[in-house]
Structures are given as C-alpha cells and as structure tokens.
Amino acid sequence: APATEGTPAVSFKLPEGFTAYEAATATASFHCAGFDAYQTGRVFAFFRAKLGDMDTLRFNNIVFLMFSAFQLHLDQGEDKVSFDGIVRHLYDIDSAALNNKGLNELLKPVLEDGKRKSLFKWIDKSSMLLIIHGHADVAAGASQRAAIEGCLDALLRPQQQQGRLKFRGLEDHLRATTPDEATRGIKRLRSR
C-alpha cells in the first residue's frame, strides 16, 4: 500500500509464479483459509505501521465476533460488550415493516443528527442487538443515560404495540438465555 501522510508504506510480495492472490483473481479466493489468513496479515501489517507497536498491543488477545455484541477476550476471565452504550434486544422483528433503513429513521430522535450512532448486530432474520453508542452520554454511569434509554424505549414501544417487534434490555435478554450464559453475561455487564 502506498504511504499516506504519517503512515509508512507497507508492501506485500507473493512468491514468483504464485498468482492466486493477485488483485485480478483475488475475489475468487474470498473465504479460502489461506487467502483469508493472507488478508488478515495484510490488515494487521497496515495497522501496525499506522498505529505503531504500542497502540496495536491493545488489540492483542481480542477476537471480534460477528453477530455478537461481545468481544471474546482470550486473556481475561470475562468478555466485554463491544461498545459502551445502550443495548436492546429486538426480536420477532417483522422485517417487511422494519428493516435497517426503517429502524434508522425511527431512531433519529435518539441519534440527534449524528451525535450518537446506532449499530445493528443481527442475530438471525428476526432478531438483533441494537446498540446506541458514540457519545459519552450513553456510557455506563453517564448522568443522561436513563433519559436517553427512556426516549429509546418510547420509540420502540409503539412498534411493539403494532406487532412489528418485541424488545427488552440486554440483562433481561441474557436472563432469558440458558442460566450459565445469563450469569456470565450479567457478570460482564456489572464488571465494566
């Protein structure tokens, strides 16, 4: 990759005669184990060059999981929620009535023109973890957090009454899962 301001150049060279991962043919290799490992290494090398060794170390032993609001911490006893924010489990979603675009439209009063961000972590076709994050006022312990949670729930409640979705807080969702999972999840939340 060419150098950008403040970032040293990082280059990659494949062995002579090996063309499977070249740009013209690389898209056919997506999700092949070797190609995925190669791309992971390229991303790591780029960010190590951009962030430096010390800033890169904060990502050691963390696995970022798709379809999960949690990060897997290999070197700690408890996993943490990916984002410090407000989490709601939305389920029995009528995706014909409410999709990502419709949900973003619904959430505009809470998001306040980009002051906060929404993240949809879809679990399956009809359930997700909705995370409101990106501003200090939604962090655990923030003085305005309860008011924002109340606003969020007030936006979701009519959708529930119309049969478009059901919702609950993350702790309630974790309690509704298997007892072992719920206990671990609640410990994670309280240890933050």
Side-chain angles (χ1 to χ4, degrees):
T4 58
E5 189 177 322
T7 304
V10 178
S11 64
F12 303 90
K13 184 177 178 186
L14 296 167
E16 191 175 322
F18 184 78
T19 60
Y21 298 166
E22 288 179 352
T25 59
T27 56
S29 300
F30 285 139
H31 300 297
C32 289
F35 181 76
D36 286 355
Y38 169 68
Q39 291 299 344
T40 299
R42 285 179 46 147
V43 169
F44 173 78
F46 172 82
F47 279 103
R48 184 172 181 200
K50 183 163 183 69
L51 299 174
D53 287 339
M54 292 310 292
D55 283 341
T56 305
L57 288 175
R58 66 187 169 116
F59 298 105
N60 278 5
N61 295 309
I62 299 174
V63 178
F64 297 89
L65 304 170
M66 291 181 64
F67 305 112
S68 176
F70 294 94
Q71 298 169 342
L72 179 62
H73 287 255
L74 301 174
D75 60 346
Q76 298 175 11
E78 300 292 338
D79 300 326
K80 295 181 180 160
V81 175
S82 301
F83 295 89
D84 193 5
I86 298 168
V87 182
R88 293 293 180 267
H89 176 233
L90 278 53
Y91 59 104
D92 292 344
I93 301 169
D94 178 355
S95 56
L98 278 177
N99 54 25
N100 286 2
K101 185 177 178 182
L103 283 166
N104 268 322
E105 200 59 35
L106 174 71
L107 296 171
K108 278 185 175 183
V110 169
L111 302 178
E112 290 187 39
D113 294 321
K115 178 179 178 180
R116 298 175 201 94
K117 297 176 179 147
S118 62
L119 179 65
F120 306 135
K121 291 283 200 170
W122 285 92
I123 299 166
D124 56 36
K125 291 181 181 182
S126 64
S127 66
M128 71 161 70
L129 292 171
L130 164 64
I131 305 171
I132 305 297
H133 67 100
H135 194 273
D137 61 4
V138 294
S143 62
Q144 295 175 319
R145 180 179 169 121
I148 298 164
E149 285 186 287
C151 181
L152 175 61
D153 293 345
L155 293 170
L156 294 173
R157 205 167 290 115
Q159 301 302 314
Q160 181 168 283
Q161 291 166 346
Q162 295 171 27
R164 294 180 175 172
L165 59 78
K166 294 178 184 172
F167 74 97
R168 57 188 170 195
L170 183 59
E171 285 196 19
D172 291 336
H173 168 58
L174 292 172
R175 268 193 287 281
T177 59
T178 63
D180 288 342
E181 291 176 55
T183 302
R184 282 195 308 270
I186 290 168
K187 281 182 188 173
R188 286 183 201 123
L189 289 172
R190 293 193 177 136
S191 67
R192 296 194 84 207

